[in-house]
Amino acid sequence: MQAEIAASTAMMPAHIHLFAMITLSTDGRTDGGVLELDADTQIRQRLIYFLRHDEKQTRKRRAMVPLCPTLAPWLDGVTGKLIRYHTPTSVKTRAAGGAEWFERPTANIANGFEGVLLAAHAARPDLGLARQVVDADGEPVWLEPRKKLGETKRRPKMVGIGTPNTLRHTIHTWHKRQGVPEAQIDAVAGYSEQGTGASYTHLRPEYLREFLTSTEAFWEAFGEFSSSHLCYGRTTKIIIMNVRRLRG
């Protein structure tokens, strides 16, 4: 499988790194799923409950997913909303000896993820993680030089190729190629009970053993490119993470 994986090095802020860790470990949805997770009410006994206790199931079911060994240490001791980002405080606050930043929950991660793709493309353009924007006539769009930065030439306006949901597609494809039963994949992904995952919806988490084995195999393969998935590499500032894509 390693021959089908390409690696790119990107600078990921801590909240996007944790988002990626959870998404790739649980096949969880972005909106209404990973971004809304609360450690105090939705993680217990090494299980993630994507359905909160005060909610009812919908057609897009919210699954109960066991914590895989690689993800579990990242969530130890965490309280409140899991996905939070650092916002700088004002100059006045810092001048008075106050904190340099404060944390707040993340409502949308699309812009931050786009920034990661653009940074990765700047570092490794050969991986094709971004492309130049074209106008309605199919002509490439260029941005004027930023004189304050000393630029003298126009630069291409770029857009990332991929979204936060690309992570979910990546791990979903991985599980299929690893031979995880379709019913387990559907159950974890939260597909309707009318689908093939219906028989797994109410089963104990240990019945997802092939899914967990496949998830750990993913992180083991990931380890050939980076150690950023291991909790000892954690930092509250910037985390260097390898973003891997499956070909095909």
Side-chain angles (χ1 to χ4, degrees), residues 61-84:
R61 300 188 62 81
R62 300 191 183 189
M64 175 181 66
V65 184
L67 285 176
C68 70
T70 298
L71 176 63
W74 288 93
L75 305 183
D76 284 347
V78 177
T79 59
K81 288 288 186 180
L82 289 177
I83 309 301
R84 306 172 68 88

Side-chain angles (χ1 to χ4, degrees), residues 39-52:
D40 298 333
T41 60
Q42 292 177 264
I43 300 179
R44 52 188 183 274
Q45 297 180 329
R46 300 185 70 82
L47 296 171
I48 293 181
Y49 293 81
F50 281 101
L51 181 71
R52 297 198 303 266

Side-chain angles (χ1 to χ4, degrees), residues 28-228:
R29 289 188 176 89
T30 300
D31 298 327
V34 177
L35 287 182
E36 294 184 6
L37 280 176
D38 186 291
D40 298 333
T41 60
Q42 292 177 264
I43 300 179
R44 52 188 183 274
Q45 297 180 329
R46 300 185 70 82
L47 296 171
I48 293 181
Y49 293 81
F50 281 101
L51 181 71
R52 297 198 303 266
H53 69 279
D54 58 345
E55 292 181 320
K56 293 183 179 180
Q57 287 285 14
T58 64
R59 291 187 62 185
K60 291 185 177 181
R61 300 188 62 81
R62 300 191 183 189
M64 175 181 66
V65 184
L67 285 176
C68 70
T70 298
L71 176 63
W74 288 93
L75 305 183
D76 284 347
V78 177
T79 59
K81 288 288 186 180
L82 289 177
I83 309 301
R84 306 172 68 88
Y85 71 96
H86 292 175
T87 300
T89 56
S90 66
V91 174
K92 183 178 180 180
T93 297
R94 295 194 296 272
E100 294 185 359
W101 50 266
F102 64 91
E103 285 188 340
R104 65 180 184 182
T106 303
N108 187 296
I109 208 165
N111 290 339
F113 195 82
E114 170 84 356
V116 167
L117 292 176
L118 295 178
H121 180 76
R124 292 288 306 276
D126 57 300
L127 294 172
L129 295 176
R131 61 174 176 80
Q132 187 171 4
V133 175
V134 296
D135 61 22
D137 297 322
E139 296 296 324
V141 177
W142 296 84
L143 299 174
E144 294 301 318
R146 294 170 291 189
K147 296 181 179 180
K148 290 184 178 180
L149 298 180
E151 295 178 349
T152 59
K153 297 181 179 180
R154 294 191 304 168
R155 66 191 190 282
K157 182 177 182 179
M158 305 297 293
V159 62
I161 300 176
T163 68
N165 198 53
T166 302
L167 297 174
R168 194 173 190 232
H169 173 74
T170 296
I171 196 63
H172 200 83
T173 302
W174 170 274
H175 290 317
K176 285 180 176 292
R177 291 179 174 176
Q178 291 291 301
V180 176
E182 195 76 20
Q184 291 189 31
I185 297 175
D186 285 354
V188 172
Y191 294 151
S192 171
E193 280 193 276
Q194 302 302 316
T196 56
S199 60
Y200 278 81
T201 302
H202 302 295
L203 294 180
R204 296 188 302 275
E206 55 264 33
Y207 282 83
L208 298 174
R209 55 183 176 272
E210 288 90 354
F211 170 83
L212 283 175
T213 298
S214 175
T215 301
E216 282 302 294
F218 175 86
W219 290 122
E220 182 178 356
F222 184 90
E224 297 186 14
F225 302 94
S226 173
S227 62
S228 61

